[in-house]
Amino acid sequence: IFDDIKILNTPAQLPLRERKKRQARGRILVAAQQLIEERGFEHTRMREIAAFAEISYQTLYNYFPTKALILQAILTHSIEHISQQIDDVLQSYEGGLLEALDTMNAIRFSAIRSQDRALWRIVTTRFVNQASETHQIYQTIDKRAHEALKALLFQARDSGELTAQVDLMLLAETIFSLGQHSLAKYLLTPHMEFEAALNKLGRQMRLLITPYLRP
């Protein structure tokens, strides 16, 4: 899911204590990933991860109290690259708000599609009753997208594509929430196809945004 060398590499200028903490965390994630790939999530034990990472079980627990949190860290680390892709959409925007939003949504959904959806489903269902944890997962996926979405809407209004009367912050939060709901449904519905989920979200966003577009 991620590059072992990258995750284990720590900047030399960091204080020794911080380097050791990052290296220990990196070893845990690398060990967990390898064991999960070999045995599956359900059959991988926390003590096995600790032994494979060559740390004590207590140290592992201090970093990650549950196996689901380890899996969450693995998956969220694997999608850090989407921030640059989202930035590229924002920087290249010259009109065509709906198309730009379609591209952003495709980037977000593709980040999930490129991984094992079953693993994402495990993380989502484990935290379904813990709103703060679930929000953290999707906020990580959308960390840059949330900021870029607001910037994109401001650009669209300033260029005259959106009416001046629209409440941009409210519109941004509504679009963001709609995207999060669609992403969660895609994750939790095994038979849902990528294109179908993306197309449905596109139709919903058009219903929401079209009334505020200038003719």
Side-chain angles (χ1 to χ4, degrees):
I1 295 174
F2 53 72
D3 186 341
D4 293 358
I5 301 300
K6 180 179 179 181
I7 191 66
L8 289 173
N9 188 31
T10 55
Q13 66 271 25
L14 288 175
L16 179 60
R17 181 181 177 84
E18 181 62 24
R19 288 207 309 272
K20 288 184 175 180
K21 287 174 63 177
R22 292 195 183 192
Q23 288 169 355
R25 189 176 188 276
R27 289 200 306 274
I28 292 169
L29 297 183
V30 170
Q33 175 182 303
Q34 293 181 13
L35 290 172
I36 289 170
E37 288 177 349
E38 292 172 4
R39 308 176 186 182
F41 178 80
E42 297 298 340
H43 297 291
T44 299
R45 302 289 177 256
M46 290 284 279
R47 291 190 182 279
E48 294 172 336
I49 295 173
F52 202 78
E54 299 182 339
I55 61 173
S56 69
Y57 177 76
Q58 184 59 51
T59 298
L60 172 64
Y61 185 85
N62 289 341
Y63 282 93
F64 298 102
T66 69
K67 190 169 56 172
L69 286 173
I70 297 177
L71 181 56
Q72 176 189 332
I74 292 172
L75 293 174
T76 53
H77 178 85
S78 72
I79 59 172
E80 291 178 349
H81 66 281
I82 73 170
S83 293
Q84 184 57 54
Q85 295 176 348
I86 293 294
D87 283 343
D88 291 343
V89 174
L90 184 60
Q91 292 169 10
S92 62
Y93 173 73
E94 294 180 351
L97 175 61
L98 293 173
E99 291 75 15
L101 288 171
D102 285 342
T103 302
M104 282 190 180
N105 288 331
I107 291 171
R108 293 157 66 193
F109 275 72
S110 293
I112 300 301
R113 187 175 63 164
S114 64
Q115 310 302 329
D116 187 340
R117 277 174 68 189
L119 294 180
W120 279 103
R121 202 172 300 123
I122 289 170
V123 171
T124 304
T125 55
R126 290 300 171 94
F127 293 131
V128 71
N129 294 320
Q130 301 178 40
S132 61
E133 294 287 1
T134 305
H135 176 74
Q136 181 181 348
I137 296 169
Y138 296 122
Q139 185 65 24
T140 302
I141 297 172
D142 289 316
K143 182 166 55 178
R144 179 54 185 143
H146 191 215
E147 300 170 357
L149 173 60
K150 291 186 287 186
L152 182 65
L153 292 179
F154 274 97
Q155 287 189 31
R157 188 189 63 181
D158 293 343
S159 67
E161 190 172 2
L162 282 173
T163 61
Q165 292 75 25
V166 62
D167 186 333
L168 292 182
M169 298 304 293
L170 178 59
L171 183 59
E173 290 303 320
T174 305
I175 294 173
F176 183 65
S177 297
L178 184 61
Q180 285 192 320
H181 174 77
S182 298
L183 191 58
K185 188 170 183 180
Y186 172 65
L187 283 173
L188 296 173
T189 310
H191 65 270
M192 182 176 287
E193 298 292 336
F194 172 81
E195 292 297 340
L198 202 56
N199 289 338
K200 183 176 181 180
L201 177 57
R203 292 193 299 271
Q204 292 172 332
M205 287 197 172
R206 278 162 173 76
L207 288 173
L208 176 64
I209 296 171
T210 299
Y212 302 106
L213 293 175
R214 288 187 181 278

